[in-house]
Amino acid sequence: MSLLVLSVFTGGYLPPPMPSVPMPVPEQAPNPPVWHIPSISEDRARQAFSTYVSSKCCYSSAPVREGVITNMESFNTYRYRLETFKESRSTEWSQEPYAGQPVDAGVQPAPGPWQIAAQSPAFFQEHKQTIKVPYTSSVKNCHLCLGMGRNPCTTCAGAGNKVCQMCNGSGYRHSNDRCTHCNGRGRENCSSCSGRGSCQCDTCRGKGKLLVFINLNVKWSIEKDEFVAQDSSGLRVKKLEEVSGKELYKDAQYMVYPVRGFPDASVAQASERLVRDHQVKYAQTSRILQQRQTIELIPITKVNYMWKGKPNVYYVYGNEFKVNADDYPATCCCSVM
């Protein structure tokens, strides 16, 4: 099917052709090792807590100074991420004022959308490129000005003049004094069209003709999905989006296999589901160039402490030692005057 035929299908990406040579088989990656992150010390937990509280204008530092840590529980949460780097192509009709550019439509058949060479960026770098498709350029009269190069002036409705602003069309000012602005005519030349009644056509820029051709739009993009293994710490999973973890496993190749034999069965199941979903979802309309999957271990420490005889909790999580303390026991109301 020629590009001219394909171009009528607007608003979607064009499926890549079947490969002429066998597609490479993904390499079976070894099972990831079992990792464990040591628990943080009480001093580190208290330091992170102090930094967090000092950043809050309405938080008293008394629980940090006076609170007594009674228990610390460690939870290691896995985050699996799958990224697919793909190339998509679509076509659209385009036009520009004709000023003698080469016209090649009909010289020979236009190449298909996936037959045109495009310089792809490095893997996992998003980019866009627009290419004028060879042998699709033709010339036609401008459809807005009907090949005249000019359109009726919208300010004066094509009259070339309008009511004089100084005398409101009477031709006189201050009783019987003739208006000097319009020489008594009551009308003045239109400034928008300089009295011609028409203006240069913006579409063809006064040329009267348009070069019509097909543009190929090439887009390199990254599709990403994540899965966070649930834990019993009580910290909301949404909070983990703010932090990084220790990278345990990384696999990058043309097409990845699902992770096998991982200690947490939910991570292996998520890997199998997302790898399958990416293949089904993106291979139909795009060319998959590279895939990458990673597993991070995000440390979470639940800190239980007593202050004024009452139990309280805060969390220290991620490589950044961020703190979450939703029910901080010593807050005050602040107002900005």
Side-chain angles (χ1 to χ4, degrees):
M1 184 180 293
S2 71
L3 187 62
L4 286 169
V5 176
L6 285 172
S7 65
V8 301
F9 299 98
T10 58
Y13 288 100
L14 305 171
M18 294 296 293
S20 57
V21 295
M23 302 175 73
V25 177
E27 301 173 6
Q28 179 66 63
N31 291 335
V34 178
W35 291 80
H36 177 72
I37 296 179
S39 302
I40 62 175
S41 65
E42 283 195 14
D43 287 343
R44 191 68 186 85
R46 194 179 297 277
Q47 179 185 351
F49 194 32
S50 176
T51 301
Y52 168 77
V53 170
S54 64
S55 69
K56 306 290 186 179
C57 65
C58 298
Y59 283 19
S60 166
S61 61
V64 178
R65 299 191 314 270
E66 303 166 4
V68 177
I69 294 177
T70 58
N71 184 38
M72 292 175 56
E73 299 176 79
S74 296
F75 302 86
N76 293 324
T77 299
Y78 299 107
R79 176 165 58 201
Y80 172 83
R81 179 183 293 123
L82 175 64
E83 298 170 281
T84 295
F85 182 62
K86 64 187 183 69
E87 176 184 335
S88 306
R89 297 191 173 200
S90 63
T91 56
E92 63 179 355
W93 283 104
S94 299
Q95 62 188 28
E96 62 186 34
Y98 178 64
Q101 301 96 311
V103 177
D104 56 9
V107 174
Q108 66 180 62
W114 290 94
Q115 295 174 325
I116 299 173
Q119 184 61 47
S120 63
F123 287 154
F124 300 103
Q125 289 188 6
E126 295 192 332
H127 185 61
K128 292 181 179 180
Q129 186 178 358
T130 299
I131 303 171
K132 183 182 291 187
V133 178
Y135 310 113
T136 63
S137 298
S138 60
V139 177
K140 72 167 188 176
N141 284 339
C142 177
H143 55 283
L144 288 184
C145 66
L146 303 179
M148 303 299 292
R150 302 184 69 84
N151 289 312
C153 177
T154 57
T155 301
C156 65
N161 56 70
K162 57 184 180 177
V163 174
C164 177
Q165 295 180 346
M166 297 299 178
C167 65
N168 291 324
S170 67
Y172 293 92
R173 296 178 62 191
H174 308 299
S175 186
N176 294 324
D177 293 337
R178 189 171 67 172
C179 177
T180 56
H181 184 73
C182 66
N183 293 323
R185 294 188 303 133
R187 302 186 71 83
E188 60 180 323
N189 284 347
C190 176
S191 58
S192 297
C193 63
S194 302
R196 300 184 61 178
S198 63
C199 299
Q200 177 178 290
C201 177
D202 291 333
T203 301
C204 66
R205 297 177 191 167
K207 302 297 184 182
K209 294 183 181 297
L210 295 172
L211 183 73
V212 183
F213 53 91
I214 294 175
N215 265 337
L216 173 68
N217 299 314
V218 188
K219 179 182 179 182
W220 293 272
S221 59
I222 304 170
E223 301 295 341
K224 180 173 66 175
D225 280 296
E226 292 183 350
F227 168 80
V228 176
Q230 297 291 333
D231 60 64
S232 57
S233 68
L235 179 66
R236 296 194 304 273
V237 172
K238 188 74 174 176
K239 288 291 182 180
L240 301 181
E241 296 177 1
E242 307 168 356
V243 298
S244 61
K246 179 179 177 61
E247 186 176 279
L248 304 183
Y249 172 74
K250 183 176 182 180
D251 175 30
Q253 50 182 309
Y254 163 65
M255 291 171 61
V256 297
Y257 267 119
V259 174
R260 303 292 184 188
F262 196 76
D264 190 314
S266 66
V267 173
Q269 292 168 1
S271 173
E272 184 171 357
R273 173 176 56 82
L274 292 177
V275 168
R276 181 179 63 250
D277 289 351
H278 275 220
Q279 295 292 340
V280 172
K281 188 184 301 183
Y282 304 123
Q284 301 300 315
T285 58
S286 308
R287 176 180 285 166
I288 295 178
L289 303 178
Q290 187 82 350
Q291 288 187 309
R292 179 169 64 194
Q293 57 183 346
T294 57
I295 299 176
E296 290 176 285
L297 179 58
I298 305 175
I300 301 174
T301 301
K302 182 179 182 180
V303 182
N304 298 275
Y305 69 100
M306 298 290 293
W307 184 67
K308 290 188 174 182
K310 294 183 179 180
N312 296 277
V313 174
Y314 67 88
Y315 295 89
V316 183
Y317 57 99
N319 288 342
E320 297 80 2
F321 298 105
K322 288 185 71 72
V323 170
N324 177 247
D326 286 338
D327 299 319
Y328 191 71
T331 62
C332 63
C333 296
C334 297
S335 60
V336 179
M337 302 300 293

